[in-house]
């Protein structure tokens, strides 16, 4: 059975960079068994009700600005999988989780950047999923939990976001050779302890319990943090968390990869 993952998608530039993090993601994609399909919750698709893609062929969305022209020429022409989408609809219905189908939206950069680094051939069907930062973490976890059975069918479940993602605090002129802000490290170390102990009681209250939570996960940007709860929920049966990678860019922007079994 495939694990589920939380994967930081960082800044859009990682789509054209060759660094420690991009090399790790390339390697991870080669090591994993090839999944039957991928279900991906993206921080860049926010909806008040759970959206489930039912798309034949995805367009590539460039939901960013001010970057090199080469970024806007990248294509990731993934296909959907109507059978998996139907199974997901049935699972959500069984668990009484409200949802809506989305039949036209393409893949935003929170999705295609990660997928392209893992599986550059775009030959695995994708079901794109929204996130809802307005519902409490336990409900986000419940949505992921409802999809556990898909993992038994070799479907890979990914939450794409960032554990420390504060665009007002990053220092774009600083890169790997500069020091990392201590507040970002302290938050990630607290998170690591809670995840490895599967302490959902504390994790669901991260905003009040975690050190520097308002800096690491600002209230205006919590959509990047919450995909971790969807990915965790999909591994509720075993409740095992492994930190596979952690590095930082621009002083505090985290590149974290968590595996949940």
């Amino acid at each position: 059975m495939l694990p589920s993952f939380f994967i930081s998608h960082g800044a859009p530039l990682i789509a054209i960079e060759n660094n420690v993090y991009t090399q790790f993601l390339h390697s991870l994609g080669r090591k994993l068994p090839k999944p039957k399909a991928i279900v991906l919750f993206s921080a860049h698709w926010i909806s008040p009700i759970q959206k489930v893609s039912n798309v034949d062929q995805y367009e590539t969305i460039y939901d960013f600005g001010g970057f090199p022209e080469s970024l806007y020429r990248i294509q990731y022409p993934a296909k959907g999988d109507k059978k998996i989408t139907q199974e997901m609809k049935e699972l959500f219905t069984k668990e009484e989780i409200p949802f809506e189908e989305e039949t036209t939206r393409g893949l935003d950069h929170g999705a295609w950047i990660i997928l392209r680094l893992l599986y550059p051939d775009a030959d695995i069907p994708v079901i794109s999923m929204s996130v809802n930062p307005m519902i409490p973490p336990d409900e986000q976890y419940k949505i992921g939990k409802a999809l556990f059975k898909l993992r038994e069918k070799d479907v890979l479940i990914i939450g794409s976001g960032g554990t420390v993602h504060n665009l007002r605090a990053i220092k774009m002129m600083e890169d790997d050779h500069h020091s990392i802000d201590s507040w970002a490290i302290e938050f990630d170390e607290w998170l690591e302890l809670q995840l490895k102990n599967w302490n959902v009681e504390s994790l669901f209250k991260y905003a009040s319990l975690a050190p520097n939570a308002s800096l690491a996960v600002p209230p205006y940007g919590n959509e990047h943090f919450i995909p971790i709860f969807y990915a965790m929920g999909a591994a509720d049966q075993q409740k095992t968390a492994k930190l596979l990678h952690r590095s930082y860019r621009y002083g505090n922007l985290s590149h974290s990869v968590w595996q949940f079994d």
Side-chain angles (χ1 to χ4, degrees):
M1 180 168 56
L2 286 171
S4 61
F5 289 93
F6 173 82
I7 302 177
S8 298
H9 61 249
L13 285 171
I14 72 167
I16 56 174
E17 291 177 328
N18 179 19
N19 55 41
V20 170
Y21 188 48
T22 61
Q23 291 168 15
F24 171 80
L25 291 179
H26 280 307
S27 176
L28 179 62
R30 292 192 298 267
K31 290 177 181 177
L32 288 172
K34 187 174 181 178
K36 178 181 178 181
I38 300 170
V39 173
L40 188 143
F41 293 88
S42 173
H44 287 274
W45 187 7
I46 297 173
S47 174
I49 186 171
Q50 182 62 55
K51 298 285 190 176
V52 182
S53 287
N54 193 357
V55 175
D56 291 323
Q57 180 89 45
Y58 289 98
E59 295 183 357
T60 306
I61 301 174
Y62 308 100
D63 49 335
F64 45 75
F67 290 97
E69 181 61 30
S70 57
L71 265 178
Y72 303 91
R73 293 196 295 268
I74 293 174
Q75 296 285 321
Y76 194 79
K79 295 181 179 181
D81 189 314
K82 291 185 178 296
K83 183 179 178 181
I84 299 295
T85 296
Q86 181 59 37
E87 290 184 44
M88 295 172 65
K89 289 163 55 180
E90 292 171 1
L91 290 170
F92 284 150
T93 299
K94 180 180 178 181
E95 297 299 325
E96 299 183 339
I97 294 172
F99 67 90
E100 293 177 351
E101 275 191 34
E102 169 56 56
T103 60
T104 60
R105 190 180 189 276
L107 292 176
D108 60 67
H109 81 273
W112 65 258
I113 285 179
I114 292 301
L115 294 172
R116 185 170 176 267
L117 288 167
L118 291 170
Y119 302 108
D121 295 332
D123 58 348
I124 301 170
V126 175
I127 297 89
S128 184
M129 306 286 284
S130 66
V131 298
N132 184 359
M134 301 305 294
I135 59 176
D138 63 318
E139 292 187 27
Q140 296 153 0
Y141 187 98
K142 179 182 177 182
I143 291 170
K145 184 178 178 180
L147 302 179
F148 166 77
K149 288 186 179 299
L150 293 181
R151 291 179 50 215
E152 297 178 330
K153 300 180 179 181
D154 296 324
V155 174
L156 181 63
I157 299 176
I158 298 174
S160 171
T163 58
V164 180
H165 189 278
N166 185 339
L167 296 184
R168 296 179 187 174
I170 63 172
K171 307 158 188 173
M172 286 298 292
M173 301 308 294
E174 296 186 10
D175 212 333
D176 300 345
H177 302 297
H178 291 77
S179 61
I180 307 304
D181 290 333
S182 59
W183 59 264
I185 296 172
E186 289 170 3
F187 177 84
D188 266 340
E189 288 179 344
W190 178 90
L191 179 63
E192 178 179 356
L193 179 61
Q194 311 313 314
L195 287 172
K196 287 184 174 179
N197 289 324
W198 210 270
N199 186 357
V200 292
E201 183 176 347
S202 292
L203 286 165
F204 291 166
K205 299 175 182 177
Y206 74 90
S208 59
L209 296 181
N212 313 306
S214 62
L215 274 173
V217 187
Y220 63 83
N222 67 335
E223 76 283 343
H224 275 75
F225 183 70
I226 63 172
I228 204 166
F229 295 127
Y230 295 88
M232 284 185 73
D236 180 75
Q237 281 70 17
Q238 296 290 337
K239 298 182 174 67
T240 301
K242 301 175 187 175
L243 178 62
L244 302 186
H245 178 93
R246 183 162 64 213
S247 57
Y248 298 88
R249 298 291 296 278
Y250 315 122
N252 52 62
L253 183 67
S254 68
H255 288 163
S256 299
V257 178
W258 279 94
Q259 175 178 319
F260 304 116
D261 293 296

